[in-house]
Amino acid sequence: MNLQLLNKNINDINADIKVEFLTPDELALHVESDLLNKTGFKAEQDSTCFLHEKATLFCGLESKKADDVRAASVSAIKALKASNYVSAKLNILKNDSLTALVEGFVLGGYEFNDYKSKPKEISLKDIILASDNDEAKTIFDEALIVANATCFTRDIVNTAPQELNPQTLAELAEKLAKDNNLGCNILQEKDLEKENMGSMLAVGRASVHGSALIHLSYKPANPKKIISLVGKGLTYDSGGLSLKPATSMVTMKMDKAGACAVLGMIKAVSELKLNIEVHAFIGAVENMIGGNAYKPDDVLVSRSGTTIEVRNTDAEGRLVLADVLSYAQDTVKADRIFDFATLTGACMVALGQYTTGLMGHSHKLKHDLSKAATASGELMGSLPFNKHLKKLLKSEIADISNVASKPYGGAITAGMFLDNFIQDENKNKWMHFDIAGSAYTETPWDCNVYGGTGAGVRLMSHYLKNI
């Protein structure tokens, strides 16, 4: 589907059908109100009505706020794709909702059909937005970059594990670096051994695919800030010897969503040409079972020297991130360090399926990121660190245990585990994003269709663009 913006009057644009968004108040004053009332259309949020004889699709929305516009445009694209119309046109509502309009059409119309032998054919080819001002072009172009980066992220998340393993993820990162003129450094297992990454290496030990640390960098001249983005890249997570139940193992290709999001973020930043230096660090690992798998009761020595008692091999993401965070801090002196990980099911219990959990020490940074989340249309909730929960990570035989001694507050104790590997001078620069619930869905919601959502890309693109 081709989405474009033209600086033309809508009447001068040729298309098969016109799309109109109406609130209930606007419906009452519309020239076609009588006919629309006869169809039962009440302009309720996300409702649609075709008047084929008028070559118009009407879409209801509660208000002209961005969240409502985004949701209504998702309904519009679904209705258009289900029809046989080849092209559609519409007036943009206003510049401050143009981003939401683009996201609704691009993200709501997203499909992943790589494994379908006969994908359903869609007649719709072109959607043309009509605008009468020059400012809209910049907003449109930036929104399209971020939406496409989100779809790029979704594609990687949705790729099956037999195709995407730590090594092929590294190859994908190398291709992105080449296409977007990024710096690229890949650390293979022999390099990880030299870096003393005993924690990360243990997790991937039973896999036939070697683990890798991926470092991409975007370096404009005279950047205003330096940002490090760290992603958990478990290309598949069986749970290891603490094997997941069969039903829980399905969808575990999404355990790489943090890494995929970080790739989408640096792609967006480089294409937006932001004046910010960005480094993406990814721990690419596969957690499998075998005779050489790491075990509960093992004691691992992390890159920082901290020893870790393993009490559950399914709490593996934090073991990978412990070493990657240590490496990232020693490699780049960043103004901000953000890690993204599908870390805990407990985060979904705390905040629900759709909301990202935010953890860290700086209240100001939490506030700024929460504002960015709201503005970008992503849902995020803050979970507070608690010194009493920290005691639950105590180990009798090592410096720290990889799981808490009690099941309560599991998302927070996982975040506090990572905090042990954040250097003191970086405590107020670091934030942890638990995207376990928000990164993947089997039930479409808002602009998210089945599969990977690309959680974090829109949020971080908005934050970095306005930093």
Side-chain angles (χ1 to χ4, degrees):
M1 182 192 72
N2 177 41
L3 181 67
Q4 58 182 308
L5 178 76
L6 296 181
N7 193 353
K8 284 186 176 182
N9 186 290
I10 193 167
N11 295 322
D12 296 327
I13 297 173
N14 291 322
D16 294 340
I17 191 166
K18 182 171 71 171
V19 179
E20 284 193 39
F21 291 89
L22 294 178
T23 64
D25 289 342
E26 290 171 335
L27 171 62
L29 301 174
H30 198 276
V31 66
E32 302 293 353
S33 60
D34 289 343
L35 187 55
L36 286 167
N37 283 329
K38 288 176 182 176
T39 69
F41 180 71
K42 298 178 181 177
E44 295 172 336
Q45 179 67 44
D46 303 340
S47 62
T48 59
C49 179
F50 276 109
L51 289 186
H52 296 286
E53 67 278 19
K54 302 290 185 180
T56 306
L57 170 64
F58 292 93
C59 303
L61 73 169
E62 190 173 304
S63 75
K64 298 295 177 68
K65 293 180 180 178
D67 286 347
D68 291 337
V69 171
R70 184 184 303 107
S73 57
V74 172
S75 298
I77 189 63
K78 288 180 178 178
L80 289 169
K81 286 175 64 177
S83 75
N84 288 323
Y85 291 109
V86 176
S87 60
K89 62 181 179 179
L90 67 151
N91 275 316
I92 67 167
L93 301 173
K94 51 183 180 176
N95 283 350
D96 57 2
S97 62
L98 178 54
T99 296
L101 197 66
V102 171
E103 290 171 349
F105 280 122
V106 175
L107 303 181
Y110 170 88
E111 291 184 11
F112 184 78
N113 292 320
D114 286 21
Y115 303 120
K116 299 260 188 169
S117 58
K118 293 181 180 179
K120 182 182 176 182
E121 291 187 11
I122 305 297
S123 299
L124 186 68
K125 303 297 181 189
D126 297 294
I127 295 179
I128 305 161
L129 308 182
S131 167
D132 60 359
N133 66 81
D134 295 329
E135 183 187 356
K137 183 69 168 66
T138 300
I139 298 171
F140 174 83
D141 289 343
E142 292 183 350
L144 198 56
I145 286 171
V146 175
N148 285 335
T150 304
C151 290
F152 170 82
T153 299
R154 290 177 172 185
D155 283 345
I156 314 173
V157 173
N158 290 331
T159 301
Q162 83 267 23
E163 185 178 344
L164 201 71
N165 57 60
Q167 292 303 310
T168 53
L169 181 59
E171 291 170 7
L172 188 152
E174 287 177 323
K175 184 179 185 305
L176 174 63
K178 183 178 179 181
D179 292 344
N180 286 47
N181 196 29
L182 305 173
C184 180
N185 184 33
I186 308 292
L187 275 66
Q188 298 291 354
E189 288 197 341
K190 65 180 186 302
D191 305 305
L192 302 180
E193 289 170 2
K194 291 177 183 176
E195 288 287 342
N196 299 313
M197 294 190 176
S199 184
M200 177 176 170
L201 282 166
V203 176
R205 205 160 62 201
S207 173
V208 297
H209 305 291
S211 300
L213 191 151
I214 301 163
H215 176 198
L216 300 185
S217 56
Y218 165 73
K219 296 181 178 181
N222 304 312
K224 293 180 180 178
K225 296 285 184 182
I226 301 175
I227 309 293
S228 284
L229 306 173
V230 178
K232 171 188 169 184
L234 266 291
T235 59
Y236 192 77
D237 179 22
S238 69
L241 292 180
S242 304
L243 194 67
K244 292 179 183 289
T247 53
S248 298
M249 227 181 288
V250 178
T251 74
M252 274 301 104
K253 63 182 180 181
M254 57 78 72
D255 216 20
K256 60 183 179 289
C260 302
V262 165
L263 290 175
M265 291 168 199
I266 199 167
K267 173 180 167 66
V269 166
S270 63
E271 292 172 6
L272 290 168
K273 295 181 170 55
L274 300 186
N275 192 24
I276 297 169
E277 183 175 322
V278 176
H279 294 264
F281 297 92
I282 290 168
V285 183
E286 188 179 57
N287 185 23
M288 299 297 287
I289 58 174
N292 63 337
Y294 82 119
K295 302 170 287 294
D297 283 346
D298 279 353
V299 176
L300 311 179
V301 181
S302 68
R303 183 181 183 278
S304 68
T306 300
T307 58
I308 305 167
E309 179 189 1
V310 178
R311 299 187 68 87
N312 188 329
T313 64
D314 195 23
E316 83 303 325
R318 63 198 72 180
L319 298 176
V320 174
L321 287 175
D323 279 349
V324 179
L325 282 166
S326 171
Y327 178 84
Q329 290 171 91
D330 285 345
T331 304
V332 175
K333 299 305 177 187
D335 297 298
R336 298 283 184 269
I337 303 165
F338 302 134
D339 78 74
F340 297 82
T342 49
L343 208 62
T344 66
C347 193
M348 283 187 275
V349 176
L351 295 174
Q353 182 186 359
Y354 314 125
T355 304
T356 294
L358 178 66
M359 285 160 264
H361 298 282
S362 170
H363 294 296
K364 181 184 184 307
L365 195 49
K366 282 184 183 180
H367 178 70
D368 292 344
L369 288 164
S370 294
K371 284 172 62 178
T374 300
S376 69
E378 293 202 40
L379 301 176
M380 192 165 69
S382 178
L383 295 172
F385 282 168
N386 180 319
K387 66 180 181 181
H388 301 292
L389 286 175
K390 187 175 183 179
K391 300 171 187 175
L392 303 181
L393 292 168
K394 184 178 184 296
S395 169
E396 296 298 333
I397 63 169
D399 296 332
I400 192 171
S401 171
N402 80 320
V403 290
S405 56
K406 293 183 180 179
Y408 313 112
I412 299 172
T413 53
M416 297 183 84
F417 176 92
L418 297 180
D419 181 46
N420 281 271
F421 300 89
I422 302 299
Q423 298 164 10
D424 288 343
E425 64 268 26
N426 293 328
K427 292 291 187 184
N428 285 320
K429 301 176 182 179
W430 165 71
M431 280 287 146
H432 163 58
F433 298 77
D434 192 330
I435 58 173
S438 56
Y440 194 89
T441 184
E442 294 186 281
T443 304
W445 60 277
D446 191 53
C447 60
N448 300 302
V449 299
Y450 181 96
T453 64
V457 176
R458 288 184 291 149
L459 182 160
M460 194 50 52
S461 297
H462 188 278
Y463 173 79
L464 295 176
K465 191 169 67 174
N466 294 284
I467 197 167

